[in-house]
Amino acid sequence: MRGGLMVCGTNSDAGKSHVVTGLCRLLARRGISVAPFKAQNMALNSWVTAEGREIGRAQGVQALAARVDPEVAMNPILLKPTGERSSQVVLNGRPLGHMGAAEYHDLKPQLLASVLESLADLRSRFDVVVVEGAGSPAEINLLDHDIVNLRIAAEAGLPAVVVGDIDRGGVFAALYGTVALLPDCYRRLVRGFVINKFRGDPALLGSGLEDLERRCGVPTLGVLPFVHDVALDAEDSLALAGHRPRANASAVADSLDIAAINFPRLANFTDLDALAIEPGVSVRLVDSVAGLGDPDLVILPGTKATVTDLDWLRGRGLDRAISDRRKAGALILGICGGYQMLGRTITDAVESGRGTVDGLGWLDVLTAFEPEKITRQRRGTAMGQRVAGYEIHHGRITRADAAGWVHLDDVHGVEEEGAVDLVDASVLGTSLHGLFEQDAVRATFLIELGRRRDKAFVPAGVSFAGAREAQFDRLADLLESNLDLVALDRLLIEGAPA
């Protein structure tokens, strides 16, 4: 089989990413070489490829579902919001600059060639490429500058399916309206609908599916049931309220409570997933003093706006509240931007342009932002266990000579990474994302956290990688049981109508 397919949605969070991920695993299980592709992704969660390029987290995860290595061609443009109307534009895995919405909109026609080149490259090397759209393909004010939805399908000769979220209500109007708003050159590319997140008996849809096809000429390829406990690495904040991955395991243990600060520009919060998956561990997102409670661990996660989010932390009085919890015995952990906040000063002429500002002063480190972003995978040890993760930051940290708690030893050199408060070891910091995805490191860390809090925490032996693999297969099973696979194969092979 050789071909491709675009998966669009009636709106953001309709389920496009889940359908693409499920299709990637479903095709891979059939022995078909498959790759995901999304021309332009807007997300604060990202993935660092083996060659040190930055792509959207969703495409990295979809590549794992396809059983291939994530690469920059799978997501040539990544937008990382830095404000209400501005984003850092990452082109082919490297920062191009910070732009306002209007400036980026004007740049889109120049970026089209890079998008099509990346897609053509993937199609030359893989049997099938599953292309994900963004938002809705029927944003009529954006069609002239489209570089992510049906313009790409038209240029590449790909058919498209449109996913609609019935749980939000109005799915028939949304699907019909999407097709009705499209110009003829794009409307003809839509060859199927997928109704997602349906609760109850599909018979309740009655003749609605046939009537929808009669009205717009597009058949429904399947109805996917609402599934409560399928979750992937979250792509953006819309997914934070959803169900997180949980392990099917149990252990006799004291429970641990983790409070993670919900920064306005929270980034790479998938660091929390590996902790949340551990039975007996509660991970809560907190944005107020009242919600902080009495946690065993407070995490200051990554952020795309370190100085601005530090102001927000202080403005809400969370800095004082966290300090109080620290004095009461809670452990404090800063990751990437959160680590930078814990230091003495932050000098930033790149993101905020504020110059030098005071950090929280809980760690003896200094941070200076540089225009060139560091994006690289790292390996080493932590707490006597092997660890792997990735760095993604503009900030360069200067730390005291004392040994860190993470020791890196890879092709990038030998380095003491992370910092520890030498007075009472109540504050830890690290620039390394993903370290808790290593099962042994996570277990050792949580046991030590329990010991500090006089709790006998017993890890359940859950595998993060295994749990993620199980999610991929559950999505593939869901699609296999509820989609017309014969019709889907036909679309993949036949391509767009002439």
Side-chain angles (χ1 to χ4, degrees):
M1 175 188 291
R2 292 194 65 84
L5 178 73
M6 170 165 273
V7 178
C8 296
T10 56
N11 52 271
S12 295
D13 207 33
K16 298 184 297 292
S17 292
H18 277 197
V19 170
V20 171
T21 305
L23 284 175
C24 283
R25 175 48 59 94
L26 185 59
L27 292 167
R29 291 197 311 202
R30 293 167 57 185
I32 297 168
S33 68
V34 57
F37 177 82
K38 187 167 185 173
Q40 170 200 293
N41 200 343
M42 176 176 282
L44 287 175
N45 276 352
S46 56
W47 189 287
V48 175
T49 67
E51 65 267 33
R53 300 297 182 95
E54 186 179 6
I55 64 174
R57 185 81 181 180
Q59 281 62 64
V61 171
Q62 288 162 356
L64 297 185
R67 296 174 176 157
V68 297
D69 292 332
E71 56 177 287
V72 70
M74 296 171 180
N75 177 216
I77 302 173
L78 174 62
L79 304 180
K80 306 191 75 174
T82 55
E84 293 298 324
R85 298 183 180 180
S86 62
S87 294
Q88 181 184 59
V89 180
V90 179
L91 176 63
N92 293 323
R94 301 293 190 203
L96 184 64
H98 289 80
M99 300 183 188
E103 182 183 5
Y104 176 71
H105 185 69
D106 292 340
L107 183 66
K108 282 183 179 180
Q110 301 175 43
L111 299 175
L112 180 61
S114 292
V115 167
L116 295 177
E117 181 180 347
S118 294
L119 178 55
D121 176 38
L122 290 176
R123 297 192 74 190
S124 72
R125 294 185 285 116
F126 292 89
D127 295 335
V128 172
V129 177
V130 184
V131 181
E132 182 179 341
S136 163
E139 303 291 358
I140 55 178
N141 57 314
L142 301 176
L143 286 180
D144 290 345
H145 286 66
D146 178 28
I147 63 169
V148 66
N149 284 305
L150 291 174
R151 170 73 179 277
I152 304 305
E155 294 279 355
L158 298 176
V161 297
V162 178
V163 180
D165 179 0
I166 196 171
D167 195 51
R168 292 172 178 248
V171 71
F172 290 111
L175 291 169
Y176 177 82
T178 296
V179 172
L181 284 172
L182 293 171
D184 290 341
C185 61
Y186 294 158
R187 186 183 300 121
R188 68 182 184 85
L189 301 175
V190 179
R191 305 296 303 281
F193 293 140
V194 175
I195 293 180
N196 193 26
K197 306 179 188 177
F198 182 72
R199 302 173 189 259
D201 185 352
L204 295 174
L205 295 173
S207 61
L209 302 182
E210 292 79 8
D211 194 24
L212 180 64
E213 182 176 0
R214 180 182 60 79
R215 290 172 182 267
C216 61
V218 179
T220 298
L221 303 182
V223 178
L224 302 179
F226 190 102
V227 181
H228 292 273
D229 56 353
V230 169
L232 300 170
D233 298 41
E235 179 176 293
D236 52 36
S237 59
L238 287 176
L240 277 177
H243 294 276
R244 313 305 301 155
R246 298 296 300 178
N248 184 21
S250 61
V252 178
D254 291 335
S255 61
L256 296 175
D257 181 33
I258 299 175
I261 304 303
N262 190 11
F263 292 123
R265 293 297 168 191
L266 184 63
N268 287 85
F269 48 79
T270 47
D271 287 326
L272 307 176
D273 286 354
L275 295 169
I277 204 172
E278 190 74 42
V281 175
S282 168
V283 178
R284 302 177 288 113
L285 286 169
V286 173
D287 58 12
S288 67
V289 172
L292 190 58
D294 181 26
D296 301 302
L297 172 67
V298 179
I299 297 179
L300 278 63
T303 166
K304 191 64 187 71
T306 303
V307 171
T308 302
D309 279 355
L310 178 57
D311 288 343
W312 173 89
L313 188 83
R314 285 174 164 142
R316 295 209 161 204
L318 278 165
D319 58 329
R320 298 185 299 274
I322 295 170
S323 180
D324 290 341
R325 302 310 188 274
R326 173 192 176 193
K327 294 173 183 176
L331 181 65
I332 313 301
L333 170 64
I335 302 175
C336 198
Y339 174 24
Q340 296 162 7
M341 293 181 189
L342 294 173
R344 296 187 181 278
T345 60
I346 302 170
T347 302
D348 176 19
V350 176
E351 285 183 353
S352 68
R354 291 268 298 278
T356 300
V357 300
D358 289 335
L360 295 172
W362 300 343
L363 289 175
D364 190 12
V365 300
L366 308 175
T367 300
F369 277 65
E370 298 289 344
E372 183 180 358
K373 182 186 287 188
I374 292 176
T375 54
R376 59 192 182 187
Q377 295 182 359
R378 302 300 313 262
R379 284 171 173 74
T381 60
M383 299 170 291
Q385 307 292 340
R386 293 301 299 175
V387 64
Y390 62 96
E391 294 178 331
I392 178 167
H393 52 84
H394 284 280
R396 307 312 201 257
I397 289 180
T398 303
R399 54 190 301 281
D401 293 335
W405 68 293
V406 179
H407 318 286
L408 301 177
D409 53 4
D410 53 29
V411 295
H412 301 292
V414 177
E415 180 183 352
E416 294 290 315
E417 200 279 337
V420 56
D421 184 331
L422 298 179
V423 177
D424 58 3
S426 63
V427 182
L428 298 174
T430 181
S431 297
L432 198 66
H433 294 288
L435 74 166
F436 293 124
E437 293 182 16
Q438 320 303 305
D439 300 330
V441 171
R442 182 179 67 253
T444 302
F445 180 86
L446 292 174
I447 290 171
E448 173 61 17
L449 176 62
R451 185 194 66 78
R452 290 167 181 252
R453 299 286 282 177
D454 295 324
K455 293 184 175 182
F457 180 78
V458 179
V462 62
S463 165
F464 181 80
R468 177 187 270 159
E469 282 289 307
Q471 299 285 28
F472 295 155
D473 284 321
R474 288 200 64 199
L475 280 175
D477 292 343
L478 190 71
L479 269 56
E480 190 172 39
S481 300
N482 295 282
L483 292 186
D484 184 343
L485 297 185
V486 173
L488 195 64
D489 283 352
R490 188 182 307 119
L491 291 182
L492 285 169
I493 295 170
E494 293 178 354

